Amino acid sequence: MLNTFKAAFERAVIGDSAPSLAKWGKLIPLPLIRRLQEDSFRETVRYAARHQKFFADKLRERNLDPSKIRKPDDLKDVFTTAEDLLSHPPEDFLCRPPQVVFETTGTSGPPKRLYFTYHELDHAASYEAAALWENGIRPDDRVVCAFDAGYWVSSWVTFLAAKHLGVFCSAVGKPLPRELYSRMGIYHYNVIVADPTWLVSLTEIAEKEGVLPVKLILAAGDRMTDVYRRYVQKVWKAPVILGYGSTEAGGGLGIECRAGKGYHLDEFNFYPEIIDRDAEGYGELVVTTLSRRTEPLIRYRVRDVTRFLEGSCPCGTPLRRIDAIKGRRDEMVVMGAGNMHPAIFERVIQGVEGISERWQVAVLQEGLRDILEFRLELTNGIDPHSVQASIARNLEACYPDVWANHVCGMYRLAFKFLPSGTLPPERKPRRLVDERN
Ligand SMILES: [Zn+2]
């Protein structure tokens, strides 16, 4: 029985048709998903052991025989981390010559670089197409994708997904919201794909100047709070579906269904684990890529904290779901300014005169906008305005991208000056805190 299903499923994958892939995503029996995953996991491990220097070295160091690895647990403490990607040359991960490269976005430190072939991107796109089909996108729709393009992967994969669906699509990078708004009536877009903070800016324009008919909005790329989501849905009178992905995943890792209860993971192309779980099941997401052969990632530590959702989803898809991302494993805060890390503020505050060693930056929410609040203790009776000006100047000079998002209105800067000795004098203070609900 399973073999019959497997053969039919593989024909659908080869046939590369979004509707049939979407159908299989719903019909496929759970035991078959697990078997496909476990088979692919073993194959990927054997392949990487032969072709990937980084992974082969790890196995050798720990005396692990790749032919005996059946499940992720068998690999014990073998993982691939972001630091590994940054500290080794690309050749240590590449198993064959690449055709495409993408970078992670990162305001602190250098970007990670991930390599693919055209076929791998197209393969990822066919699964995204199936997810879009399942969420109701049809060939007579018109999609506009405003994900940042350039070295970021999402825009390209979404464009290729549109190609698979045969749906009209403009993948235009991340224009000013107003530029896109002025074209909505010309091109009759009825599906908007964008990152959450950009989407809020577009929605504010539409609320004032008129809403055009839209049937679906897909958001991904940074944190979308419930407040933002309700607002965007109310103004456009259209559902907002959230996607979850990364450059390391080569695009999408999971997407919500119309039930909106967690992200269904793409279990055909990834083997997910959640490690170091707490009592509520929350832990760090770890994924192994199952389809990529240019730069497969074995047990890649995503650093996002989430948990598996138990029970079946009302939509009927057996693909496992993860809960909304609770936060980053490290201290990173994702907000309208970008991915904020304490190191950013250490650099920005360094050398600013008239403030004490004790300081903290908080991310707050004011209505629909994020606020970046600098909490500082003044010394030497300096004029607070000159402190504000120095900090703004440093931010602009050191992090032009963060500043550009400020100019775009993606967040507001605020300053709170406290009497000396007010902020906690911990030895390792939390420099960056997220206080949004
Ligand atoms: Zn569902």
Side-chain angles (χ1 to χ4, degrees), residues 55-312:
F55 184 62
D57 287 350
K58 287 240 169 186
L59 292 179
R60 207 172 308 115
E61 280 163 23
R62 286 163 181 78
N63 240 336
L64 290 168
D65 175 356
S67 69
K68 298 217 168 75
I69 307 296
R70 304 179 63 80
K71 302 180 304 302
D73 278 351
D74 298 337
L75 282 168
K76 301 191 166 57
D77 67 337
V78 174
F79 292 99
T80 309
T81 64
E83 290 74 30
D84 293 329
L85 291 177
L86 288 169
S87 61
H88 290 73
E91 295 70 38
D92 286 9
F93 291 94
L94 284 174
C95 301
R96 64 183 184 190
Q99 293 168 322
V100 192
V101 64
F102 290 100
E103 295 179 0
T104 54
T105 54
T107 30
S108 67
K112 285 153 269 160
R113 300 168 212 286
L114 280 299
Y115 295 84
F116 306 85
T117 58
Y118 290 119
H119 177 76
E120 285 169 328
L121 280 195
D122 210 41
H123 178 83
S126 65
Y127 281 79
E128 181 171 320
L132 296 178
W133 176 276
E134 186 55 30
N135 273 306
I137 298 182
R138 295 292 179 270
D140 55 357
D141 288 324
R142 291 194 161 209
V143 177
V144 62
C145 172
F147 283 147
D148 215 342
Y151 281 102
W152 204 35
V153 69
S154 310
S155 172
W156 301 95
V157 174
T158 301
F159 184 69
L160 291 172
K163 186 200 82 177
H164 280 279
L165 288 167
V167 58
F168 185 98
C169 177
S170 305
V172 292
K174 193 174 170 183
L176 287 173
R178 174 155 300 284
E179 277 181 38
L180 182 69
Y181 180 77
S182 68
R183 288 176 174 83
M184 286 198 66
I186 301 174
Y187 299 120
H188 305 291
Y189 300 123
N190 67 343
V191 177
I192 305 170
V193 182
D195 75 59
T197 38
W198 186 94
L199 201 51
V200 168
S201 299
L202 179 76
T203 305
E204 285 174 327
I205 298 172
E207 190 182 26
K208 284 194 202 90
E209 299 178 25
V211 173
L212 295 112
V214 162
K215 81 174 214 188
L216 184 73
I217 295 165
L218 181 73
D222 68 5
R223 201 181 128 112
M224 181 132 207
T225 65
D226 288 343
V227 176
Y228 293 164
R229 183 171 174 145
R230 277 197 297 273
Y231 169 71
V232 172
Q233 294 192 142
K234 189 179 74 150
V235 171
W236 294 101
K237 297 183 180 61
V240 172
I241 299 287
L242 299 186
Y244 173 63
S246 64
T247 305
E248 292 92 326
L253 197 52
I255 190 167
E256 287 182 337
C257 62
R258 296 298 270 270
K261 292 184 164 61
Y263 302 104
H264 283 287
L265 293 174
D266 173 1
E267 295 198 274
F268 301 110
N269 297 298
F270 299 95
Y271 194 121
E273 304 167 61
I274 291 179
I275 61 164
D276 302 336
R277 299 188 201 191
D278 67 13
E280 292 174 293
Y282 284 105
E284 182 181 356
L285 182 65
V286 171
V287 291
T288 297
T289 62
L290 300 177
S291 314
R292 278 159 37 193
R293 291 294 178 260
T294 307
E295 189 178 5
L297 295 178
I298 313 286
R299 303 187 87 203
Y300 183 72
R301 296 183 67 148
V302 181
R303 285 178 165 172
D304 284 338
V305 174
T306 183
R307 63 176 170 184
F308 287 123
L309 289 171
E310 301 300 331
S312 53

Side-chain angles (χ1 to χ4, degrees), residues 257 259 264 313 315 317 321:
C257 62
H264 283 287
C313 182
C315 79
T317 301
R321 290 167 299 150

